[in-house]
Amino acid sequence: MIKIGKTVLGGPKIALIAGPCAVESLEQTMQTAHFLQSQGVSVFRAGAFKPRTNPTSFQGLGEQGLEILARVKKETGLLICTEVMDARQIPAVSRVADLLQVGARNMQNYDLLRELGRQEKPVLLKNGLAATVDELIGAGEYVLQGGNTDLIYCLRGIRTFETRTRFAFDPALVEALKNETKRPVIVDPSHSAGRRDLVYPIARAAVAVGADGLLVEVHPDPTKAKSDAEQQLDFGGFERLLAELRPIAQAVGRTL
Amino acid sequence: MIKIGKTVLGGPKIALIAGPCAVESLEQTMQTAHFLQSQGVSVFRAGAFKPRTNPTSFQGLGEQGLEILARVKKETGLLICTEVMDARQIPAVSRVADLLQVGARNMQNYDLLRELGRQEKPVLLKNGLAATVDELIGAGEYVLQGGNTDLIYCLRGIRTFETRTRFAFDPALVEALKNETKRPVIVDPSHSAGRRDLVYPIARAAVAVGADGLLVEVHPDPTKAKSDAEQQLDFGGFERLLAELRPIAQAVGRTL
Amino acid sequence: MIKIGKTVLGGPKIALIAGPCAVESLEQTMQTAHFLQSQGVSVFRAGAFKPRTNPTSFQGLGEQGLEILARVKKETGLLICTEVMDARQIPAVSRVADLLQVGARNMQNYDLLRELGRQEKPVLLKNGLAATVDELIGAGEYVLQGGNTDLIYCLRGIRTFETRTRFAFDPALVEALKNETKRPVIVDPSHSAGRRDLVYPIARAAVAVGADGLLVEVHPDPTKAKSDAEQQLDFGGFERLLAELRPIAQAVGRTL
Amino acid sequence: MIKIGKTVLGGPKIALIAGPCAVESLEQTMQTAHFLQSQGVSVFRAGAFKPRTNPTSFQGLGEQGLEILARVKKETGLLICTEVMDARQIPAVSRVADLLQVGARNMQNYDLLRELGRQEKPVLLKNGLAATVDELIGAGEYVLQGGNTDLIYCLRGIRTFETRTRFAFDPALVEALKNETKRPVIVDPSHSAGRRDLVYPIARAAVAVGADGLLVEVHPDPTKAKSDAEQQLDFGGFERLLAELRPIAQAVGRTL
């Protein structure tokens, strides 16, 4: 079990980590944060530094994005989860983040992981786009070896030839990974799905197999989002998601 | 919704299709059938003709296996689901089977599918080892075009580079396939998992995402099974599975 | 080394097996055959029975296609290679074919393979869309066990997430498969590539790694082909291909 | 065409970039360098910083490894290619390296790529373990956007379910990538193969399809290597490789 403020990962309560793919503006970010707070979300996620396949795509607001996240934190009291892409960003990101996220593309950025192993903030490590569980565990060892034992794994699906989902989330791996590592495992249904309507079944499956948390992308107006427009839920969608998940959480002896 | 005897696929009740990987003997088969009947299973599955990667592996009892299945049917009244591997086997298999299974390796055996399209028995079509949903739907069209509309899809996972599970079951595809085809979709957690302990989470995920049935391998003594020894559940394991699934079924408005 | 008429597979001469994806008409087939004969091709390939992903796609001319192939054989003396999709087609196909092809989708159609094991015609076995080399060898064992030792393997690439090629042809597998089985291994650059311009490099790689033959799709007017329009070479393209391959064949101590 | 000292990538001469997986000692490194120099190799490759799946594996000699490479450079005049894993290492690595290598695990380490875009040294960018060509090109754009146009792509195979090779090298992608980017493309047969005997066919295929260079792992005694022991060639093996490649290079109008 890992504590982040009052939020516990790995206990009976399933942690909700939600927010827009990226910090786009103060208004969009704050509006989402207030809504999510009203829904019982305890950790707000949003990217300031965005790892995009092409340099011409929106790269995030960077330092300015971190400032917006700091305001969200101050105004709402929500915990902040945001991505760190390079070891040199750690000091700046750590000033606002309560949970340091390593994205799929950096799962094997070992110098970044080593540096995170020396931090006192919990680390959320997502599996690589086509990583095996062995590689994910190996990557996690880089953090643990540095002395930082607040490590949370996040399964976000792997690449296959199937095109209906962007990445295949294999629910059995949640159980395998939890049993092998005795660490919290959360699931990211948004990136696995790659399309809004399939976020729901993946999240339901994740809860049914014992995920300790969910990382969900939520945006006030997803169709206008600067990234991941296809997969972010709007506010109504997030409410529907929670309504679907509550009875399943209860059925497996958990709460949301 | 498709009816097989009194069993309905696609309605509120999730169908349990269970039995050993292969008919190995009268005793092993009958013992399993009686147990499963006591657990509320309505369709008994067991292979008489086994598609094995190598010809030196156990190939099933063939016609003798069908005779054993006929005795199970007579003695227990259970419906029978068994695999047909070649168009020439259809008459013999149809004499005993209530549900004609097409295995993963034959998903694109189009002459077999065409012939099944002319039968009056329901067809259970499993996805190929590395088939896309588009290809699965295309294969199903061969059956439907022949006039046989009692077609049930079965998702059994696809091949990836991950080794902890034999085949990755992507729960989102249940929803995608149901929405696109308006047909019953069942899930085979045994072949996806490839190992006993992971059958449970996959089955839980399947129920949570709306699977209309489960195809589960059960054997009186799995370690002595002539095939799939690693993944078959024993009787206690099947009872534990049902206990895990019932509350989740209820949570999604279904029954087992 | 396997002999088909005067053609030897597995010797110093690399066998050219070429022809249109499908028999579409007497004229299209005969025209292609005459052209290929002029280029030194010894085995003519064309499908009469076509395994298509959807039943609404062109399924081949069937028996009529076999008749056209018989006329090609009579008029040109070319050997004929054509696909058999179902055990029941073997007698009809065998009347015209000198080389019985099993396509990727039927690599694990074990009843078909068993039946081919009892024939006196050589068998060309293509790897499944996502088959491992172990599975290909296992499938081949079904033919060999029946007593038919004239078995030729054909590598046609496997499915990955990359989209530039339809199937990834791994050249190292030619060497691995030849060393392990001591059998002729041919390569199908057309289906691996999935697009005309990439047929050339795959064929060059195949010759460089020791392929015993090439299976190439050639059509008088590929853009009008009823199947595989994107990947068939026209006559000029085939001439260019041979011109590219000859020096490489010589460099590895082979001839075309 | 890109020049590194007197070595030209993208011209008629195929560049040989060879050396041990890792700098293990002064003696092992210098011995290999002298041998390779005698074989006409112009760029020496060896890792000082090693990205290993687990932190308990040999991580390279680090700064000490760079010093050994500096001595090799001074004593032999060979150009040096070595990997940089983190933006903070660039100054130290640049003092000795003539060609800055980005490994597969860091292909999408965008901050590293951005920083390399500001350097005056050529960059060798390897494709990720399971990257698409689109993603490789996208990653390269991060370097180019910074103003560094001396970018060389290296194809080292992608992950599939096949186990005989560690990564599938698709030869068609060399042609596709060269045509689309008009940049030099080299091939790494050692990492694709993952086993010594398959390095040869992959290298032959690479030359046949127009690779502008080869990156080959060579070690004085591969079985004692601290990393990649299965795939490094010994000196005799490298001589055999060159003997195999020369006639193929000539056949495609190139020299070694």
Side-chain angles (χ1 to χ4, degrees), chain A residues 170-176 179 205 207-210 252, chain B residues 35 165 169 187-208 214-219 222 230-246 248:
Chain A
D170 182 342
L173 299 181
V174 173
E175 181 138 326
N179 284 344
V207 169
V209 294
V252 295
Chain B
F35 165 72
T165 45
F169 163 64
V187 171
D188 173 352
S190 302
H191 285 87
S192 302
R195 50 185 255 202
R196 230 175 319 284
D197 64 324
L198 297 183
V199 172
Y200 303 91
I202 297 174
R204 293 201 305 271
V207 169
L214 293 173
L215 193 70
V216 184
E217 289 190 340
V218 181
H219 191 283
E230 299 303 315
Q231 77 200 29
Q232 302 201 52
L233 300 185
D234 63 14
F235 294 174
F238 189 72
E239 287 177 342
R240 182 191 135 196
L241 181 69
L242 295 189
E244 286 190 9
L245 298 180
R246 271 190 202 104
I248 301 174

Coordinates of all heavy atoms in Angstrom, one line a residue, chain A residues 170-176 179 205 207-210 252, chain B residues 35 165 169 187-208 214-219 222 230-246 248:
Chain A
D170 N -4.7 -6.4 -21.4 CA -4.9 -7.8 -21.1 C -5.2 -7.8 -19.6 O -4.3 -7.6 -18.7 CB -3.6 -8.6 -21.4 CG -3.8 -10.1 -21.1 OD1 -4.7 -10.5 -20.3 OD2 -3.0 -10.9 -21.6
P171 N -6.4 -8.1 -19.2 CA -6.8 -8.0 -17.8 C -6.0 -9.0 -16.9 O -5.8 -8.7 -15.7 CB -8.3 -8.2 -17.8 CG -8.6 -8.9 -19.1 CD -7.6 -8.4 -20.0
A172 N -5.6 -10.1 -17.4 CA -5.0 -11.1 -16.6 C -3.6 -10.5 -16.1 O -3.1 -11.0 -15.0 CB -4.7 -12.4 -17.4
L173 N -3.1 -9.6 -16.8 CA -1.7 -9.1 -16.4 C -1.8 -8.3 -15.1 O -0.8 -8.1 -14.3 CB -1.1 -8.3 -17.5 CG -0.9 -9.1 -18.8 CD1 -0.2 -8.2 -19.8 CD2 0.0 -10.3 -18.5
V174 N -3.0 -7.7 -14.8 CA -3.2 -7.0 -13.5 C -2.9 -8.0 -12.4 O -2.1 -7.7 -11.4 CB -4.6 -6.4 -13.4 CG1 -4.8 -5.8 -12.0 CG2 -4.8 -5.3 -14.5
E175 N -3.6 -9.1 -12.4 CA -3.4 -10.1 -11.4 C -2.0 -10.7 -11.3 O -1.4 -10.8 -10.3 CB -4.4 -11.3 -11.6 CG -4.3 -12.4 -10.6 CD -5.7 -12.9 -10.1 OE1 -6.7 -12.1 -10.1 OE2 -5.8 -14.1 -9.8
A176 N -1.4 -11.0 -12.5 CA -0.1 -11.5 -12.6 C 0.9 -10.5 -11.9 O 1.8 -10.9 -11.1 CB 0.3 -11.8 -14.0
N179 N 0.5 -10.1 -8.1 CA 0.9 -11.2 -7.4 C 2.5 -11.3 -7.4 O 3.1 -11.7 -6.4 CB 0.4 -12.5 -8.0 CG -1.1 -12.7 -7.6 OD1 -1.6 -12.1 -6.7 ND2 -1.7 -13.6 -8.3
A205 N -13.6 -3.9 -16.9 CA -12.7 -5.1 -16.8 C -11.6 -4.8 -15.7 O -11.3 -5.7 -14.9 CB -12.1 -5.4 -18.1
V207 N -11.6 -2.9 -13.1 CA -12.1 -3.0 -11.7 C -12.4 -4.5 -11.4 O -12.1 -4.9 -10.3 CB -13.4 -2.1 -11.6 CG1 -14.1 -2.4 -10.2 CG2 -13.0 -0.7 -11.7
A208 N -13.0 -5.2 -12.3 CA -13.3 -6.6 -12.0 C -12.1 -7.5 -11.7 O -12.2 -8.5 -11.0 CB -14.1 -7.2 -13.2
V209 N -10.9 -7.1 -12.3 CA -9.7 -7.9 -12.1 C -8.9 -7.4 -10.9 O -7.8 -8.0 -10.7 CB -8.9 -8.1 -13.3 CG1 -9.7 -8.9 -14.4 CG2 -8.4 -6.7 -13.9
G210 N -9.3 -6.4 -10.3 CA -8.6 -6.0 -9.1 C -7.6 -4.8 -9.2 O -6.7 -4.6 -8.4
V252 N -16.5 -6.9 -6.2 CA -15.2 -7.5 -5.9 C -14.7 -7.0 -4.6 O -13.5 -7.1 -4.3 CB -14.2 -7.2 -7.0 CG1 -14.6 -7.9 -8.3 CG2 -14.0 -5.7 -7.3
Chain B
F35 N -20.6 -33.5 -12.7 CA -20.2 -32.4 -11.9 C -20.8 -31.1 -12.4 O -21.4 -30.3 -11.7 CB -18.7 -32.3 -11.7 CG -18.3 -31.0 -11.1 CD1 -18.5 -30.7 -9.8 CD2 -17.7 -30.1 -11.9 CE1 -18.2 -29.5 -9.2 CE2 -17.3 -28.8 -11.4 CZ -17.6 -28.5 -10.0
T165 N 0.5 -14.5 -20.5 CA -0.7 -15.1 -21.0 C -0.4 -15.7 -22.3 O 0.4 -15.1 -23.1 CB -1.9 -14.1 -21.1 OG1 -1.4 -12.9 -21.7 CG2 -2.4 -13.8 -19.7
F169 N -6.5 -11.4 -24.2 CA -7.9 -11.2 -24.4 C -8.1 -9.7 -24.1 O -7.9 -9.2 -23.1 CB -8.7 -12.0 -23.3 CG -10.1 -11.5 -23.1 CD1 -11.0 -11.6 -24.2 CD2 -10.5 -11.0 -21.9 CE1 -12.3 -11.1 -24.0 CE2 -11.8 -10.5 -21.7 CZ -12.7 -10.6 -22.8
V187 N -16.8 -15.7 -24.4 CA -15.4 -15.6 -24.1 C -14.8 -16.9 -23.6 O -15.4 -17.6 -22.8 CB -15.1 -14.4 -23.1 CG1 -13.6 -14.4 -22.7 CG2 -15.5 -13.1 -23.7
D188 N -13.6 -17.2 -24.1 CA -12.9 -18.4 -23.7 C -11.7 -18.0 -22.8 O -10.6 -17.8 -23.3 CB -12.4 -19.2 -24.9 CG -11.6 -20.4 -24.6 OD1 -11.2 -20.6 -23.4 OD2 -11.3 -21.1 -25.5
P189 N -11.9 -18.0 -21.5 CA -10.8 -17.5 -20.6 C -9.7 -18.6 -20.5 O -8.5 -18.2 -20.3 CB -11.4 -17.3 -19.3 CG -12.6 -18.2 -19.3 CD -13.1 -18.2 -20.7
S190 N -10.0 -19.8 -20.8 CA -9.0 -20.9 -20.6 C -7.9 -20.8 -21.6 O -6.7 -20.8 -21.3 CB -9.7 -22.3 -20.7 OG -10.7 -22.4 -19.7
H191 N -8.2 -20.6 -22.9 CA -7.2 -20.5 -23.9 C -6.5 -19.2 -23.9 O -5.3 -19.1 -24.2 CB -7.8 -20.8 -25.3 CG -8.1 -22.3 -25.5 ND1 -9.3 -22.8 -25.1 CD2 -7.3 -23.3 -26.0 CE1 -9.2 -24.2 -25.4 NE2 -8.0 -24.5 -25.9
S192 N -7.2 -18.1 -23.5 CA -6.5 -16.9 -23.4 C -5.4 -16.9 -22.3 O -4.2 -16.5 -22.5 CB -7.4 -15.7 -23.0 OG -8.5 -15.6 -23.9
A193 N -5.8 -17.5 -21.2 CA -4.8 -17.5 -20.0 C -3.7 -18.4 -20.3 O -2.5 -18.1 -20.2 CB -5.6 -18.0 -18.8
G194 N -4.0 -19.7 -20.7 CA -2.9 -20.7 -20.9 C -2.4 -21.2 -19.6 O -1.5 -22.0 -19.6
R195 N -2.8 -20.6 -18.5 CA -2.4 -21.1 -17.2 C -3.6 -20.9 -16.2 O -4.3 -19.9 -16.3 CB -1.1 -20.5 -16.6 CG -1.2 -19.0 -16.7 CD 0.2 -18.4 -16.3 NE 0.1 -17.8 -15.0 CZ 0.9 -16.8 -14.5 NH1 1.9 -16.4 -15.3 NH2 0.8 -16.3 -13.3
R196 N -3.8 -21.9 -15.3 CA -4.9 -22.0 -14.5 C -5.3 -20.7 -13.7 O -6.4 -20.2 -13.7 CB -4.7 -23.1 -13.5 CG -5.9 -24.1 -13.4 CD -5.6 -25.3 -12.5 NE -4.3 -25.8 -12.6 CZ -3.8 -26.6 -13.6 NH1 -4.6 -27.0 -14.6 NH2 -2.6 -27.1 -13.6
D197 N -4.3 -20.1 -13.0 CA -4.5 -19.0 -12.1 C -5.0 -17.8 -12.8 O -5.6 -16.9 -12.2 CB -3.3 -18.7 -11.3 CG -2.1 -18.2 -12.1 OD1 -2.0 -18.7 -13.3 OD2 -1.4 -17.3 -11.7
L198 N -4.8 -17.7 -14.1 CA -5.2 -16.5 -14.8 C -6.6 -16.7 -15.6 O -7.1 -15.7 -16.2 CB -4.1 -16.0 -15.8 CG -2.8 -15.6 -15.2 CD1 -1.8 -15.1 -16.2 CD2 -3.0 -14.5 -14.1
V199 N -7.1 -17.9 -15.5 CA -8.5 -18.1 -16.0 C -9.5 -17.2 -15.2 O -10.4 -16.6 -15.8 CB -8.9 -19.6 -15.9 CG1 -10.3 -19.8 -16.3 CG2 -7.9 -20.4 -16.8
Y200 N -9.3 -17.1 -13.9 CA -10.2 -16.3 -13.1 C -10.3 -14.9 -13.5 O -11.4 -14.4 -13.7 CB -9.8 -16.5 -11.6 CG -9.8 -17.9 -11.2 CD1 -8.6 -18.7 -11.2 CD2 -10.9 -18.6 -10.7 CE1 -8.6 -20.0 -10.9 CE2 -10.9 -19.9 -10.3 CZ -9.7 -20.6 -10.4 OH -9.7 -21.9 -10.0
P201 N -9.2 -14.1 -13.5 CA -9.4 -12.7 -13.9 C -9.9 -12.5 -15.2 O -10.7 -11.6 -15.5 CB -7.9 -12.1 -13.7 CG -7.0 -13.3 -13.7 CD -7.8 -14.4 -13.2
I202 N -9.5 -13.3 -16.2 CA -10.1 -13.1 -17.5 C -11.6 -13.4 -17.5 O -12.4 -12.6 -18.1 CB -9.4 -14.0 -18.6 CG1 -7.9 -13.7 -18.6 CG2 -10.0 -13.9 -19.9 CD1 -7.0 -14.6 -19.5
A203 N -12.0 -14.4 -16.8 CA -13.5 -14.6 -16.8 C -14.2 -13.5 -16.1 O -15.3 -13.1 -16.5 CB -13.7 -16.0 -16.0
R204 N -13.6 -13.0 -15.0 CA -14.2 -11.8 -14.3 C -14.4 -10.6 -15.3 O -15.4 -10.0 -15.3 CB -13.4 -11.4 -13.1 CG -13.4 -12.5 -12.0 CD -13.1 -11.9 -10.6 NE -11.8 -11.2 -10.6 CZ -10.6 -11.7 -10.3 NH1 -10.5 -13.0 -10.0 NH2 -9.5 -11.0 -10.3
A205 N -13.3 -10.4 -16.0 CA -13.3 -9.3 -17.0 C -14.4 -9.5 -18.0 O -15.1 -8.6 -18.4 CB -11.9 -9.1 -17.6
A206 N -14.5 -10.7 -18.5 CA -15.4 -11.0 -19.5 C -16.8 -10.8 -19.1 O -17.6 -10.2 -19.8 CB -15.3 -12.5 -20.0
V207 N -17.2 -11.2 -17.9 CA -18.5 -10.9 -17.3 C -18.7 -9.4 -17.2 O -19.8 -8.9 -17.5 CB -18.7 -11.7 -16.0 CG1 -20.0 -11.2 -15.3 CG2 -18.7 -13.2 -16.3
A208 N -17.7 -8.7 -16.7 CA -17.9 -7.3 -16.5 C -18.1 -6.5 -17.8 O -18.7 -5.4 -17.8 CB -16.6 -6.7 -15.8
L214 N -19.5 -18.1 -21.3 CA -18.1 -18.4 -21.0 C -17.9 -19.8 -21.5 O -18.7 -20.7 -21.2 CB -17.7 -18.3 -19.6 CG -17.8 -16.9 -19.0 CD1 -17.6 -16.9 -17.5 CD2 -16.7 -16.0 -19.6
L215 N -16.7 -20.1 -22.0 CA -16.3 -21.4 -22.5 C -15.1 -21.8 -21.6 O -14.0 -21.2 -21.7 CB -15.9 -21.3 -23.9 CG -15.7 -22.6 -24.7 CD1 -17.1 -23.3 -25.0 CD2 -15.1 -22.3 -26.1
V216 N -15.3 -22.7 -20.7 CA -14.3 -23.0 -19.7 C -13.9 -24.4 -19.7 O -14.7 -25.3 -19.7 CB -14.8 -22.6 -18.2 CG1 -13.7 -22.8 -17.2 CG2 -15.3 -21.2 -18.2
E217 N -12.6 -24.7 -19.6 CA -12.1 -26.0 -19.6 C -12.0 -26.6 -18.2 O -11.4 -25.9 -17.3 CB -10.7 -26.1 -20.3 CG -10.8 -25.9 -21.8 CD -9.4 -26.2 -22.5 OE1 -8.4 -26.2 -21.8 OE2 -9.5 -26.5 -23.7
V218 N -12.7 -27.7 -17.9 CA -12.7 -28.3 -16.6 C -12.4 -29.8 -16.7 O -12.9 -30.4 -17.6 CB -14.1 -28.1 -16.0 CG1 -14.2 -28.7 -14.6 CG2 -14.5 -26.6 -15.9
H219 N -11.6 -30.3 -15.8 CA -11.1 -31.6 -15.9 C -11.0 -32.2 -14.5 O -10.7 -31.5 -13.6 CB -9.7 -31.7 -16.6 CG -9.2 -33.0 -16.9 ND1 -8.7 -33.9 -16.0 CD2 -9.1 -33.6 -18.1 CE1 -8.3 -35.0 -16.6 NE2 -8.5 -34.9 -17.9
P222 N -6.7 -32.1 -13.8 CA -6.0 -31.4 -14.9 C -4.6 -31.8 -15.1 O -4.1 -31.8 -16.3 CB -6.1 -29.9 -14.5 CG -7.3 -29.8 -13.6 CD -7.3 -31.1 -12.8
E230 N -2.1 -27.4 -18.4 CA -1.8 -26.2 -17.6 C -2.9 -25.3 -17.3 O -2.9 -24.4 -16.4 CB -0.7 -25.4 -18.3 CG 0.6 -26.1 -18.6 CD 1.3 -26.6 -17.3 OE1 1.3 -25.8 -16.4 OE2 1.7 -27.7 -17.3
Q231 N -4.0 -25.4 -18.1 CA -5.0 -24.4 -18.0 C -6.4 -24.9 -17.6 O -7.3 -24.1 -17.3 CB -5.1 -23.6 -19.3 CG -5.8 -24.4 -20.4 CD -5.5 -23.9 -21.8 OE1 -4.4 -23.4 -22.1 NE2 -6.4 -24.0 -22.7
Q232 N -6.6 -26.2 -17.5 CA -7.9 -26.7 -17.1 C -8.1 -26.5 -15.6 O -7.2 -26.6 -14.9 CB -8.1 -28.1 -17.5 CG -7.9 -28.4 -19.0 CD -8.5 -29.7 -19.5 OE1 -9.7 -29.9 -19.3 NE2 -7.7 -30.5 -20.2
L233 N -9.3 -26.2 -15.3 CA -9.7 -26.0 -13.8 C -10.1 -27.4 -13.3 O -10.7 -28.2 -14.1 CB -10.8 -25.1 -13.6 CG -10.6 -23.6 -14.1 CD1 -11.8 -22.8 -13.7 CD2 -9.3 -23.0 -13.5
D234 N -9.8 -27.7 -12.0 CA -10.4 -28.9 -11.4 C -11.8 -28.5 -10.9 O -12.2 -27.3 -11.0 CB -9.5 -29.5 -10.4 CG -9.2 -28.6 -9.2 OD1 -10.0 -27.6 -9.1 OD2 -8.3 -28.8 -8.5
F235 N -12.5 -29.4 -10.3 CA -13.9 -29.2 -9.9 C -13.9 -28.0 -8.9 O -14.8 -27.1 -8.9 CB -14.5 -30.4 -9.4 CG -14.7 -31.5 -10.4 CD1 -15.2 -32.8 -10.1 CD2 -14.4 -31.3 -11.8 CE1 -15.4 -33.8 -11.0 CE2 -14.6 -32.3 -12.7 CZ -15.1 -33.5 -12.4
G236 N -13.0 -28.1 -7.9 CA -13.0 -27.0 -6.9 C -12.7 -25.7 -7.5 O -13.3 -24.7 -7.1
G237 N -11.9 -25.7 -8.5 CA -11.5 -24.4 -9.2 C -12.7 -23.9 -9.9 O -13.0 -22.7 -9.9
F238 N -13.5 -24.8 -10.5 CA -14.7 -24.3 -11.2 C -15.7 -23.7 -10.2 O -16.4 -22.7 -10.5 CB -15.4 -25.4 -12.0 CG -16.4 -24.9 -12.9 CD1 -16.1 -24.2 -14.1 CD2 -17.8 -25.2 -12.7 CE1 -17.2 -23.7 -14.9 CE2 -18.8 -24.8 -13.5 CZ -18.5 -24.0 -14.7
E239 N -15.9 -24.3 -9.1 CA -16.8 -23.8 -8.0 C -16.3 -22.4 -7.6 O -17.1 -21.5 -7.4 CB -16.9 -24.7 -6.9 CG -17.7 -26.0 -7.2 CD -17.7 -27.0 -6.0 OE1 -16.8 -26.9 -5.1 OE2 -18.5 -27.9 -6.0
R240 N -15.0 -22.3 -7.4 CA -14.5 -21.0 -7.0 C -14.7 -19.9 -8.1 O -15.1 -18.8 -7.8 CB -12.9 -21.1 -6.8 CG -12.3 -19.8 -6.3 CD -10.8 -19.9 -6.3 NE -10.2 -18.7 -6.9 CZ -9.0 -18.5 -7.4 NH1 -8.1 -19.5 -7.4 NH2 -8.6 -17.3 -7.9
L241 N -14.6 -20.4 -9.3 CA -14.8 -19.4 -10.4 C -16.3 -18.9 -10.4 O -16.5 -17.7 -10.5 CB -14.6 -20.1 -11.8 CG -14.8 -19.3 -13.0 CD1 -13.7 -18.2 -13.1 CD2 -14.7 -20.1 -14.3
L242 N -17.2 -19.8 -10.3 CA -18.6 -19.4 -10.2 C -18.9 -18.4 -9.1 O -19.6 -17.4 -9.2 CB -19.5 -20.6 -10.2 CG -19.5 -21.5 -11.4 CD1 -20.7 -22.6 -11.2 CD2 -19.7 -20.8 -12.7
A243 N -18.3 -18.7 -7.9 CA -18.4 -17.9 -6.8 C -17.9 -16.5 -7.0 O -18.5 -15.5 -6.6 CB -17.7 -18.5 -5.6
E244 N -16.8 -16.4 -7.8 CA -16.2 -15.1 -8.1 C -17.1 -14.3 -9.1 O -17.2 -13.1 -9.1 CB -14.8 -15.3 -8.7 CG -13.8 -15.6 -7.7 CD -12.4 -15.5 -8.4 OE1 -12.2 -15.0 -9.5 OE2 -11.4 -16.0 -7.7
L245 N -17.7 -15.1 -10.0 CA -18.4 -14.5 -11.1 C -19.8 -14.0 -10.8 O -20.3 -13.0 -11.3 CB -18.5 -15.4 -12.3 CG -17.2 -15.8 -12.9 CD1 -17.4 -16.8 -14.1 CD2 -16.4 -14.6 -13.4
R246 N -20.5 -14.7 -9.9 CA -21.9 -14.4 -9.6 C -22.1 -12.9 -9.2 O -23.0 -12.2 -9.8 CB -22.4 -15.3 -8.5 CG -23.0 -16.5 -9.1 CD -23.8 -17.4 -8.2 NE -23.8 -18.8 -8.8 CZ -23.1 -19.8 -8.4 NH1 -22.3 -19.7 -7.3 NH2 -23.2 -21.0 -9.0
I248 N -20.3 -10.3 -9.8 CA -20.0 -9.4 -11.0 C -21.2 -9.5 -12.0 O -21.6 -8.4 -12.5 CB -18.7 -9.8 -11.6 CG1 -17.6 -9.7 -10.6 CG2 -18.4 -8.8 -12.8 CD1 -16.2 -10.1 -11.0

